[in-house]
Amino acid sequence: MKVSYYPGCTLKTKAKHLEDSALASLAALGVEIRELPRWNCCGAVHSLADDDLIHHVAPVRDLIRAKDEGSERLVTLCSMCYNTLARANLLMRNDEVKRKTINDFMTEESDYQGEVEVEHLIPFLRDVIGWDNLRAKIKVPLTGMKIASYYGCTLVRPQNVAIEPVAGKIMNEFVEALGAEPIDFSANTLCCGSYQVLAHPDSVADVVGRIIESASRAGADALILSCPLCEYNLLKKQEELLEKQKIGRRMPVFYFSQLLAMALGLGPESYRPDMSDAASVEFLKSKNFSVESAAVQA
Amino acid sequence: MAIEISEKTIKHEFIDRINELSGQDIYKCFQCGTCGGACPMSGQMEILPRKIMRMLQLGMAEHISELETGWECASCHSCSVNCPRGIDLARVMEAVRLLILRKNINKIEPSRLAEAVVRELPQIALVAGFRKLTS
Ligand code: SF4
Ligand code: SF4
């Protein structure tokens, strides 16, 4: 089975720690996914207006690239890219009229009918590697770490692209496979405010406070996620909330793949503590993980 | 504030346009308020999504265009997945925004964002924000 990988813009810069840790982990697990030789920004959000087809062209072009590579699957790590690509894919598969218009418009590309499967790395790990297999390859079990998995919106809404019907199972299974203790919390799918950080930063701070408090109350030591925008909002707004004493303590935040790389026994050049914030790095130190990564280039 | 609602004030074209753009039937809404309860931004919203739905049903085009609610929406789809009437309210919110954006009115001005903010934000924040809040 041929699998293509779509990184998206943010993974090449601000979220390099998401990409590096995931790719190094996959290599350690013996799975090959190949980055699309050519790709463009997916547009980050799905167009919600019935007459707005032009914004579907970008994600569809990426899907066509995967198909042209002969891939059956296109794997993504960023939740927003996953959502945008998966929804564009369903549109091309299910809406005959819009499919024709988009295909006719993209005359320079091959026709596309939704042949490729878009998959996020977490279900990919379960389906292709399997939790038992993963468990067998863990070298440094994350024993004693209480990890809350934050899904946010784009992994679970709308339902037709949700990585599971009711959030809370798959990421907990992932956490368990790493040897850590999964922590359920009620705000696991509460939106972090997303792009409203541009227009309504205070509303974003308000929801971030609710997410962090919910995870704290449930007893989490740290939170994992897979969206660079969630990561940004959760880290940035925690600074403000702490200053205003609206949260009790700072919650470390990691990409799920950083914990995966750590548990697989890979070095800091893979899990990239140099890209994490100070509180998260402190947490790693307290758990005896190396945070020295002078050799790593940004 | 007294608001006059009569057959004369109801903008049917506006209602049709919202239905057309969103692919939804706004008359399906029976005002239960579930959407606002599920909405992460509702704590800070001046008018809750339920009320917007009622104002849409009454064709209150001008009133709606002056409200901040559509601009506060994060397109998270919480309302959509919880609405007992199956209305995809995130799409309705998008239609409300687009009727304004398509007059070439921007909600945020990219050129006025502070350089430090632009440097710091992940690309997806900028791309998503510009997609939803600029024309
Ligand atoms: S949840 Fe649906 S039916 Fe209830 S008020 Fe909101 S839009 Fe109307
Ligand atoms: S899509 Fe918008 S209106 Fe609906 S719950 Fe999310 S933020 Fe609120």
Side-chain angles (χ1 to χ4, degrees):
Chain A
M1 178 189 58
K2 216 170 148 184
V3 183
S4 285
Y5 159 55
Y6 175 83
C9 321
T10 313
L11 271 77
K12 294 295 176 188
T13 52
K14 304 279 188 243
K16 203 79 186 83
H17 40 330
L18 172 53
E19 174 171 70
D20 287 352
S21 53
L23 295 185
S25 299
L26 284 172
L29 291 165
V31 178
E32 196 199 355
I33 59 170
R34 292 199 309 181
E35 182 174 330
L36 288 177
R38 270 181 78 196
W39 54 266
N40 50 264
C41 170
C42 66
V45 284
H46 182 70
S47 219
L48 296 171
D50 236 44
D51 68 350
D52 179 15
L53 297 188
I54 194 70
H55 287 112
H56 297 309
V57 168
V60 169
R61 185 167 278 135
D62 289 317
L63 296 166
I64 293 174
R65 299 267 185 265
K67 180 186 161 185
D68 287 349
E69 283 288 293
S71 292
E72 286 155 43
R73 297 192 191 196
L74 182 63
V75 168
T76 64
L77 311 177
C78 163
S79 311
M80 281 183 96
C81 297
Y82 164 71
N83 191 278
T84 308
L85 291 167
R87 288 165 89 179
N89 203 31
L90 288 184
L91 181 95
M92 292 304 277
R93 203 176 282 172
N94 302 328
D95 191 323
E96 208 180 314
V97 178
K98 288 182 180 148
R99 170 171 67 224
K100 183 166 184 329
T101 312
I102 292 171
N103 275 329
D104 286 351
F105 176 75
M106 300 171 80
T107 43
E108 79 284 17
E109 307 281 2
S110 35
D111 267 15
Y112 187 70
Q113 332 260 341
E115 293 93 330
V116 175
E117 283 300 330
V118 177
E119 205 167 4
H120 186 268
L121 184 61
I122 296 174
F124 182 84
L125 286 173
R126 178 194 58 197
D127 302 340
V128 173
I129 293 159
W131 299 138
D132 287 338
N133 234 331
L134 176 60
R135 210 169 281 123
K137 299 216 162 124
I138 297 301
K139 296 214 172 76
V140 188
L142 308 181
T143 320
M145 279 195 202
K146 295 180 173 177
I147 304 295
S149 298
Y150 174 64
Y151 288 72
C153 312
T154 46
L155 290 181
V156 287
R157 285 189 295 271
Q159 298 98 323
N160 58 0
V161 295
I163 62 167
E164 63 182 347
V166 180
K169 187 164 183 276
I170 190 167
M171 284 182 75
N172 278 358
E173 288 169 350
F174 167 76
V175 168
E176 247 166 16
L178 304 186
E181 183 188 336
I183 299 291
D184 286 317
F185 70 118
S186 62
N188 63 346
T189 63
L190 180 67
C191 169
C192 72
S194 185
Y195 57 81
Q196 285 299 355
V197 66
L198 290 175
H200 293 94
D202 291 342
S203 304
V204 175
D206 177 64
V207 264
V208 168
R210 281 151 63 194
I211 294 163
I212 297 300
E213 280 300 285
S214 167
S216 278
R217 270 200 307 273
D221 290 332
L223 197 134
I224 56 165
L225 40 69
S226 87
C227 174
L229 182 44
C230 295
E231 196 223 23
Y232 176 82
N233 283 344
L234 258 53
L235 289 175
K236 190 76 193 167
K237 295 299 163 192
Q238 278 199 75
E239 281 169 27
E240 291 173 32
L241 292 163
L242 206 59
E243 255 171 49
K244 292 181 189 155
Q245 298 183 324
K246 289 198 173 152
I247 49 172
R249 70 175 180 104
R250 229 190 130 122
M251 174 74 67
V253 174
F254 300 100
Y255 287 116
F256 72 98
S257 49
Q258 289 182 285
L259 293 199
L260 174 61
M262 285 158 50
L264 288 170
L266 305 177
E269 71 289 350
S270 303
Y271 57 84
R272 301 292 307 260
D274 56 310
M275 302 254 337
S276 282
D277 68 300
S280 306
V281 169
E282 273 313 305
F283 173 74
L284 293 186
K285 270 197 214 156
S286 75
K287 300 286 173 189
N288 297 323
F289 280 96
S290 164
V291 294
E292 302 308 326
S293 49
V296 172
Q297 321 105 33
Chain B
M1 176 180 60
I3 297 175
E4 190 205 325
I5 297 167
S6 72
E7 186 45 40
K8 273 183 288 172
T9 66
I10 296 178
K11 301 265 190 308
H12 291 283
E13 268 170 37
F14 170 71
I15 298 173
D16 292 345
R17 195 79 188 102
I18 293 282
N19 280 340
E20 210 174 83
L21 277 176
S22 66
Q24 308 299 303
D25 176 2
I26 55 161
Y27 288 119
K28 272 194 184 164
C29 170
F30 58 13
Q31 293 289 293
C32 66
T34 305
C35 42
C39 175
M41 309 308 271
S42 64
Q44 314 268 338
M45 273 180 184
E46 52 170 343
I47 295 241
L48 293 181
R50 174 193 66 77
K51 210 160 170 185
I52 294 277
M53 289 304 285
R54 189 68 185 130
M55 293 170 84
L56 285 168
Q57 291 173 338
L58 295 169
M60 297 166 71
E62 280 91 44
H63 284 95
I64 290 171
S65 68
E66 282 159 19
L67 294 175
E68 191 65 12
T69 303
W71 303 116
E72 282 166 329
C73 165
S75 306
C76 76
H77 290 272
S78 290
C79 48
S80 311
V81 300
N82 283 294
C83 172
R85 297 289 284 151
I87 302 168
D88 195 339
L89 204 93
R91 283 185 186 267
V92 177
M93 289 291 189
E94 180 113 323
V96 167
R97 284 189 296 268
L98 282 178
L99 287 185
I100 298 166
L101 293 175
R102 286 181 182 179
K103 291 180 186 146
N104 266 339
I105 299 169
N106 281 356
K107 178 61 192 171
I108 54 166
E109 208 43 72
S111 59
R112 299 222 182 105
L113 291 174
E115 198 193 322
V117 173
V118 175
R119 274 183 195 285
E120 190 181 78
L121 282 172
Q123 285 85 339
I124 42 173
L126 295 167
V127 176
F130 297 165
R131 282 282 312 281
K132 296 289 180 186
L133 307 170
T134 67
S135 58

